[in-house]
Amino acid sequence: MVCMHTKIPLDEDQMPKSWYNILPDLPSPLDPPLHPGTGKPLVPDDLTPIFPMELILQEMSSKRTIDIPPEVQEVLRLWRPSPLYRAHRLEKHLKTPAHIYYKYEGVSPPGSHKPNTAVPQAYYNMKAGIERIATETGAGQWGSALAFATQIFGLECTIYMVRSSYAQKPYRKSMMQVWGAECIPSPSTRTKSGSAVLQKDPETTGSLGIAISEAVEDAATHGNTNYSLGSVLNHVCLHQTVIGLECREQLASVDEYPDVVIGCVGGGSNFAGISFPFAGEKLKGTHKETEIIAVEPASCPTLTKGLFAYDYGDVAGLTPLLKMFTLGHDFVPPSIHAGGLRYHGDNPTISRLVYDGVMKAVAYHQSEVFDAAQTFARTEGIIVAPETSHAVRAAIDEALKCRKSGEKKTILFNCSGHGNFDMSAYDAFYAKQLVDYEYPEQLIRESLSRLPKIPGA
Amino acid sequence: MCTLGFLVNPVAGMGGAVGLKGTDGMVEAALSRGAVPRSPGRAKETISLLRSIDIHFLTCSGAMGEEILSEEGISGYEVVYRPESEQTGAPDTMAACRAFLERNADLILFCGGDGTARDIYSVVGDSLPMLGIPAGVKMYSAVFAITPGAAAGIVREGCIKGGRFLFRDAEVMDVDEEAYREGSLRTRLFGIAKSPYRPGLVQGTKQVFEDPDEERAKKDIARFIKEVMEGTPDILYILGPGSTTAAIADEIGIRKTLLGFDAVKGGTLVATDLNEEGLLSLLGGGTRARLVISIIGAQGSILGRGTQQVSPAVLQNIGRENIIVVATPHKLAVTPLVFLDSGDREFDEGFGDHISVVSGYRVAQRKRIGKAPGEGEFP
Ligand SMILES: Cc1ncc(COP(=O)(O)O)c(C=O)c1O
């Protein structure tokens, strides 16, 4: 037995000093993002009204490593390096010969991986002289992470929170308040886009698409204000690679290398974070056999049932067109409890790697993932976020396959956040009120066959 | 203040306990087998929970209502109908309903079973909403509350809001009692009543936020199916009975028979109210067809209840993969399992354990298929 440790820590001074940029390791460059008006490839200046230049350059960088500014490292040290756990108790419960490891990102103050990018984003905006950041949040994880980060760098923060979650997750809103941010239920009368929606339907529950439109409008109409996105874009995924880089060191310290790497996918940031360093090795041929698995909800199966095409990032069609797997920018995913996985598209790099077969994707129903989350809580103790429970389900299923085949695989998954503010979702699970939403793929394809094509697609 | 027509079928449910599978025309047989009236107790349970509410009751004399109200200490009632004989029956129920209509009741609260619901519906149609306190032997209709307590809850909520109930369409099922006693369940969709409900999805699940408005949910389903039809102009669509499929017809701008099977192709109505023969002749010659069908009644039945026109032969022609099941999230929330009873067991079993039910715009729900048809008493 190599190691019977449960926690595999990493010293603070071993925390990564730079992020890993996977773009130069791709066999060919990504299809460029297109301007929504002209259909032409974007140039950096197209994005300056809402993003600081440093982030725009990262978005398109061809450098393999990008230094983490010391001021950012100092904040990340509040919780990083995060612990890697060997799930001995879960392994025993599953009677699997597999070794299961999980990287726990729930130790950050806001409770998820989201501050890994919120902190550098706030930092670069502060450096660029920006005074306020506007953003949207669905379930509240991203909003609370950005509130935490902006407060550290002395920026103001305005968060448009989808109205239904605003009512259902009061403590997320309280956290944002403690960190000094302003949290507004969306749609609001603060913006033109919000007012327009309210006028049409005062009872609307809101949606992520509407909240994005409000935040973008807020940023575009205020000189001192920028916009910030918590997932999907390449620079967000870049910042998350600290997760996988730490895992590689931690696993090496116990003489392991993963056979399987697993993460849940909303816009793709935590999955990119844990998998890109390993995907890079796979692309370079140093570890060709690693299986990399993205897990998504059956109700919003972007990677398993979407189309690989150019599409907008938001409902209104204001954002650049990205080449990605998409269910259509006007698709409103059903209201599953894993609010952070309700997104019609995915990060373009992940999309490309899935398309090329470097990574694969699986989808699960709500009741299946909560069942796994319960098993995890009853063995390892941690009550995971509904989003994270998707990764837990896939890890358990991989371990069960090993029980059948007798293989002793090393399975690594990203435990992206705790679910301490999501207990009503668990309540619904126990009350047997979870609805297993599905995506009627065949019918949707037929219904779309008459729609006009988007430019550039 | 709310005005409620309150009506009890004193003999409802009596046949069940003594194995008579229904009490219509069997009261004496039931009594001689030692049956005790069941509905008065059930009705009392509901009424006892309504004491503190400001309600004006319109009711019938004796066991058909008055006795229960006075025993439960309710004084604000008015007797609007007096049955001639102790032995009450369908004509008395119907006469009482006519009196409720004349007096502009807001709602009929009744205690009984499918037979009672059918009698009420035959008088009031969908012009006066009804809510059933479950007491009958069979309750395949969707107008019943789950329990007497739940019925009281619905009434309280609407009355406290000054009579502003939330209504939904609820199927009234006609069960052939003769056949039922012989061991075969033959039901027919008799009509679609209006029935009050509590938006359980919003209150129950707390976090998952659904639109409480069922009409809007029907529109969403209809919008989606219309787009599917537009994308497949060569497919013949057969729309089954019920208000969800009627919403689809509305969306494409055609007039559908509420209780029948109608055929649509390329946005135009091809045939209405088809029987088995009509369906088979439409389907002949390799026509590619799809069946759009909803959940009928309160027991989660998809094929078999109220859909006898769709015989095994018709289903074989259409093919399993061409059946599109539709239902609102509201209906699905109170339908834990769905049942297939098409008359062709192999066909039914081919669906496996789950079926996908279109429940909104570009969304479906996965529902478990129950193993035995949902027979007998309400849970
Ligand atoms: C705990 C947790 N995990 C995962 C996600 C999914 O986002 P992403 O795909 O960007 O990691 C979220 C998003 O809110 C989250 O809060």
Side-chain angles (χ1 to χ4, degrees):
Chain A
M1 188 116 321
V2 183
C3 167
M4 280 309 289
H5 282 154
T6 296
K7 276 197 304 304
I8 298 142
L10 203 61
D11 265 0
E12 256 179 44
D13 52 17
Q14 286 176 283
M15 198 179 83
K17 307 284 186 292
S18 54
W19 293 299
Y20 166 60
N21 181 20
I22 196 170
L23 295 180
D25 286 331
L26 296 178
S28 60
L30 289 183
D31 296 300
L34 304 179
H35 191 284
T38 65
K40 294 227 168 72
L42 278 192
V43 292
D45 274 352
D46 291 332
L47 295 173
T48 47
I50 56 170
F51 291 126
M53 190 49 84
E54 203 59 43
L55 292 176
I56 298 171
L57 294 177
Q58 288 178 3
E59 184 66 28
M60 308 174 176
S61 172
S62 54
K63 279 173 61 186
R64 184 168 284 128
T65 58
I66 293 171
D67 289 343
I68 307 177
E71 296 91 328
V72 171
Q73 290 187 37
E74 188 195 314
V75 180
L76 294 183
R77 270 199 288 273
L78 283 173
W79 72 95
R80 302 214 74 87
S82 65
L84 179 76
Y85 286 83
R86 169 86 184 267
H88 289 296
R89 300 174 59 83
L90 178 63
E91 288 171 18
K92 204 184 252 171
H93 173 82
L94 298 174
K95 301 190 178 70
T96 178
H99 292 184
I100 305 174
Y101 290 91
Y102 59 94
K103 179 73 162 166
Y104 189 41
E105 290 294 311
V107 292
S108 76
S112 77
H113 65 290
K114 298 280 181 187
N116 296 333
T117 184
V119 171
Q121 287 197 47
Y123 170 77
Y124 291 121
N125 274 291
M126 180 269 289
K127 279 299 217 194
I130 288 298
E131 292 166 0
R132 187 168 71 98
I133 297 184
T135 195
E136 74 289 330
T137 193
Q141 292 269 23
W142 168 243
S144 39
L146 193 66
F148 161 75
T150 47
Q151 182 260 336
I152 284 179
F153 292 110
L155 299 177
E156 287 176 54
C157 185
T158 305
I159 295 153
Y160 295 87
M161 185 168 182
V162 177
R163 197 202 250 179
S164 53
S165 337
Y166 185 88
Q168 292 145 10
K169 292 204 186 179
Y171 295 130
R172 280 282 162 199
K173 163 181 75 192
S174 313
M175 291 169 86
M176 295 178 223
Q177 190 178 9
V178 171
W179 284 316
E182 185 187 19
C183 178
I184 301 164
S186 164
S188 73
T189 51
R190 190 74 72 93
T191 63
K192 275 197 199 132
S193 39
S195 304
V197 175
L198 281 176
Q199 211 152 38
K200 253 198 249 159
D201 184 6
E203 301 296 315
T204 178
T205 58
S207 79
L208 210 49
I210 298 166
I212 294 179
S213 301
E214 289 207 87
V216 171
E217 181 187 327
D218 185 329
T221 53
H222 293 89
N224 68 344
T225 304
N226 263 349
Y227 170 70
S228 169
L229 193 62
S231 189
V232 185
L233 297 178
N234 287 332
H235 69 266
V236 181
C237 293
L238 172 79
H239 300 156
Q240 295 292 355
T241 56
V242 289
I243 301 172
L245 294 171
E246 286 177 6
C247 285
R248 204 167 56 188
E249 295 305 312
Q250 286 162 311
L251 285 172
S253 77
V254 293
D255 284 335
E256 296 250 37
Y257 190 90
D259 298 303
V260 188
V261 181
I262 296 168
C264 66
V265 177
S269 71
N270 90 88
F271 175 65
I274 197 159
S275 69
F276 277 5
F278 299 104
E281 306 256 347
K282 190 169 177 173
L283 289 168
K284 282 182 272 183
T286 36
H287 284 278
K288 279 194 198 150
E289 304 302 319
T290 319
E291 256 193 285
I292 303 175
I293 305 174
V295 195
E296 57 187 13
S299 57
C300 187
T302 313
L303 294 170
T304 50
K305 293 191 171 170
L307 296 174
F308 187 50
Y310 271 109
D311 198 6
Y312 302 103
D314 68 328
V315 175
L318 301 172
T319 69
L321 289 156
L322 302 174
K323 182 79 177 283
M324 59 184 175
F325 275 102
T326 175
L327 299 171
H329 63 279
D330 62 341
F331 177 67
V332 181
S335 22
I336 53 170
H337 290 276
L341 305 187
R342 294 179 64 210
Y343 189 66
H344 68 273
D346 264 324
N347 167 259
T349 310
I350 293 176
S351 297
R352 167 67 183 282
L353 291 172
V354 169
Y355 188 75
D356 288 348
V358 178
M359 301 172 160
K360 70 169 193 174
V362 294
Y364 286 107
H365 287 100
Q366 278 204 106
S367 49
E368 299 167 323
V369 301
F370 274 97
D371 195 56
Q374 171 181 284
T375 301
F376 192 69
R378 290 182 181 180
T379 50
E380 296 295 312
I382 297 170
I383 300 175
V384 298
E387 291 82 6
T388 311
S389 66
H390 290 72
V392 176
R393 173 81 264 168
I396 288 179
D397 282 358
E398 286 300 313
L400 290 175
K401 274 190 220 158
C402 288
R403 176 164 99 186
K404 266 208 179 133
S405 68
E407 283 173 289
K408 214 171 141 183
K409 284 188 182 172
T410 300
I411 299 168
L412 169 68
F413 78 89
N414 196 7
C415 193
S416 58
H418 68 65
N420 296 1
F421 300 103
D422 300 285
M423 296 317 296
S424 61
Y426 283 86
D427 285 349
F429 171 65
Y430 289 113
K432 301 204 185 317
Q433 283 170 336
L434 286 185
V435 173
D436 280 338
Y437 292 105
E438 295 199 318
Y439 181 82
E441 181 185 11
Q442 165 83 14
L443 296 178
I444 290 179
R445 291 238 163 134
E446 290 171 358
S447 76
L448 291 177
S449 61
R450 283 278 165 110
L451 294 184
K453 293 267 184 284
I454 50 170
Chain B
M1 183 165 50
C2 279
T3 304
L4 288 196
F6 174 61
L7 155 72
V8 178
N9 173 358
V11 299
M14 251 164 49
V18 292
L20 284 175
K21 304 186 173 181
T23 322
D24 288 6
M26 303 294 283
V27 177
E28 273 173 42
L31 284 171
S32 75
R33 286 197 190 186
V36 276
R38 178 171 126 100
S39 61
R42 307 280 279 178
K44 274 188 189 171
E45 243 183 283
T46 304
I47 295 298
S48 69
L49 296 168
L50 295 175
R51 264 183 226 133
S52 58
I53 312 282
D54 201 11
I55 297 173
H56 182 62
F57 284 97
L58 308 174
T59 192
C60 318
S61 61
M64 274 186 77
E66 182 181 14
E67 276 174 14
I68 284 154
L69 291 175
S70 70
E71 278 170 35
E72 288 304 317
I74 305 261
S75 52
Y77 67 82
E78 190 181 339
V79 174
V80 294
Y81 174 72
R82 290 178 188 281
E84 281 177 14
S85 128
E86 289 254 322
Q87 274 271 11
T88 56
D92 296 299
T93 299
M94 291 159 81
C97 289
R98 277 189 284 274
F100 296 154
L101 266 180
E102 269 166 36
R103 299 298 201 90
N104 281 324
D106 296 309
L107 172 73
I108 296 178
L109 176 67
F110 72 96
C111 187
D114 276 326
T116 322
R118 186 195 53 211
D119 294 340
I120 295 173
Y121 181 81
S122 67
V123 174
V124 304
D126 62 0
S127 65
L128 180 49
M130 62 170 90
L131 174 66
I133 302 167
V137 175
K138 300 173 301 303
M139 277 158 293
Y140 291 100
S141 300
V143 296
F144 293 98
I146 299 283
T147 60
I154 294 168
V155 171
R156 284 175 76 103
E157 182 149 309
C159 287
I160 288 168
K161 289 189 185 150
R164 271 181 295 121
F165 291 92
L166 272 172
F167 293 114
R168 68 172 161 210
D169 294 321
E171 298 89 0
V172 174
M173 304 302 285
D174 194 16
V175 181
D176 181 339
E177 288 209 349
E178 281 296 324
Y180 191 66
R181 280 187 197 103
E182 256 122 61
S184 79
L185 180 67
R186 249 182 263 154
T187 58
R188 184 170 71 88
L189 180 56
F190 187 72
I192 297 183
K194 246 166 76 173
S195 189
Y197 73 108
R198 274 168 102 167
L201 276 176
V202 172
Q203 304 201 331
T205 61
K206 287 192 189 117
Q207 202 198 14
V208 173
F209 205 100
E210 294 280 359
D211 195 328
D213 186 347
E214 187 165 16
E215 288 310 312
R216 198 140 64 168
K218 279 183 200 157
K219 268 229 167 75
D220 286 345
I221 295 171
R223 215 155 41 86
F224 178 41
I225 299 295
K226 180 186 179 213
E227 289 180 6
V228 173
M229 289 176 163
E230 285 171 351
T232 52
D234 300 333
I235 298 182
L236 176 81
Y237 284 85
I238 296 162
L239 299 179
S243 61
T244 312
T245 44
I248 296 170
D250 274 354
E251 190 71 26
I252 33 184
I254 55 166
R255 276 184 73 91
K256 176 176 164 13
T257 54
L258 190 56
L259 307 185
F261 285 83
D262 300 354
V264 186
K265 192 173 181 181
T268 40
L269 197 58
V270 178
T272 57
D273 209 4
L274 291 152
N275 56 17
E276 184 189 2
E277 212 178 317
L279 284 166
L280 283 174
S281 73
L282 260 184
L283 292 169
T287 312
R288 169 115 201 259
R290 276 179 171 162
L291 175 65
V292 183
I293 202 156
S294 69
I295 297 177
I296 298 289
Q299 311 270 319
S301 174
I302 293 174
L303 291 171
R305 306 288 154 79
T307 59
Q308 262 85 28
Q309 298 94 319
V310 182
S311 64
V314 171
L315 289 171
Q316 286 298 346
N317 250 298
I318 293 174
R320 213 179 278 120
E321 67 287 355
N322 288 316
I323 296 180
I324 301 174
V325 184
V326 295
T328 60
H330 310 71
K331 184 113 193 180
L332 290 170
V334 294
T335 312
L337 298 172
V338 296
F339 294 96
L340 300 165
D341 187 15
S342 69
D344 178 343
R345 179 167 297 200
E346 214 174 297
F347 186 85
D348 294 348
E349 283 174 355
F351 282 97
D353 296 336
H354 293 93
I355 195 164
S356 194
V357 181
V358 172
S359 60
Y361 186 70
R362 296 192 195 165
V363 68
Q365 292 187 17
R366 184 173 72 150
K367 291 303 272 189
R368 262 221 352 257
I369 297 175
K371 280 306 158 215
E375 295 215 345
E377 301 219 359
F378 222 82

